[in-house]
Amino acid sequence: MSARILVAYASKKGSTAEIAHAVARELENRGITVVVAEMNSVTTLETYDALVLRTPMYAGKFLADVPAFIAKHRECIIHIPTAGFVTGIARVYPKAGDPDVIAGALGEAMAPAKPVAVTMFAGKFDPGNQGFLVRSVGKMMKIPEGDFRDWDAISAWARELPGKMGM
Ligand SMILES: Cc1cc2nc3c(=O)[nH]c(=O)nc-3n(C[C@H](O)[C@H](O)[C@H](O)COP(=O)(O)O)c2cc1C
């Protein structure tokens, strides 16, 4: 039977969800069965051999309540390999923080899981799908506008996961 990985994500505007599906495709190409699910809809991890968790940053915080998710599924999570990644504009807008520090914070938020890989990828900031306030703040703070997702980097990261997870 092929290994089963759950890709659990949080997303407000969809860009992180699209990345979750891109990672899933990459893992499926390696013969792994992948289920992609919104984090809050996950009821059990019992049927999975590994977990990939992902969340975007909003106002300096993870959108997902990562510790709550980990606590809810603690009994399963401590027995399976995990990985995580965060999306945001910090990769292209240094004022939003150091991407490596942010990725490290995700790893800490996942304790007692010990993720085999954590990283931060550039996300997408489209003022066109934001309200007036966010658009104004974005302009004021000169936040770069556009889709900064690096699909090659995302695929490369996903390709390495099965090896790191011992699959
Ligand atoms: C109101 C707002 C606040 C944000 N705050 C941050 C932030 O603090 N750090 C960061 O790196 N990115 C930040 N971003 C960028 C988002 O993380 C990025 O747009 C991400 O791709 C959104 O993911 P989603 O489409 O899955 O919701 C912010 C975006 C918005 C609209």
Side-chain angles (χ1 to χ4, degrees), residues 10-17 56-61 63 87-90 96 102 120 123-125 130 134:
S11 184
K12 218 180 210 176
K13 295 288 180 183
S15 70
T16 304
M57 290 293 283
Y58 276 89
K61 293 195 172 128
L63 176 67
T87 51
I89 47 154
I102 293 169
M120 180 173 200
K124 175 180 169 182
F125 179 56
Q130 302 291 344
V134 171

Side-chain angles (χ1 to χ4, degrees), residues 31-116:
I32 292 167
T33 302
V34 187
V35 173
V36 179
E38 208 281 322
M39 222 177 267
N40 292 331
S41 73
V42 176
T43 53
T44 179
L45 295 185
E46 269 171 32
T47 54
Y48 298 102
D49 302 303
L51 166 73
V52 180
L53 191 149
R54 52 207 68 239
T55 176
M57 290 293 283
Y58 276 89
K61 293 195 172 128
F62 300 132
L63 176 67
D65 188 342
V66 176
F69 181 84
I70 298 289
K72 183 176 169 192
H73 301 287
R74 190 180 189 283
E75 285 313 310
C76 289
I77 281 176
I78 54 175
H79 298 297
I80 58 174
T82 58
F85 84 70
V86 50
T87 51
I89 47 154
R91 271 265 171 245
V92 291
Y93 182 67
K95 278 187 193 162
D98 179 335
D100 293 336
V101 172
I102 293 169
L106 177 62
E108 282 165 24
M110 289 174 71
K114 295 187 182 76
V116 297

Side-chain angles (χ1 to χ4, degrees), residues 93 95 125 127-128 131-145:
Y93 182 67
K95 278 187 193 162
F125 179 56
F132 174 74
L133 189 66
V134 171
R135 281 205 309 272
S136 309
V137 171
K139 266 206 166 57
M140 206 172 67
M141 296 185 66
K142 296 194 171 56
I143 293 173
E145 298 172 4

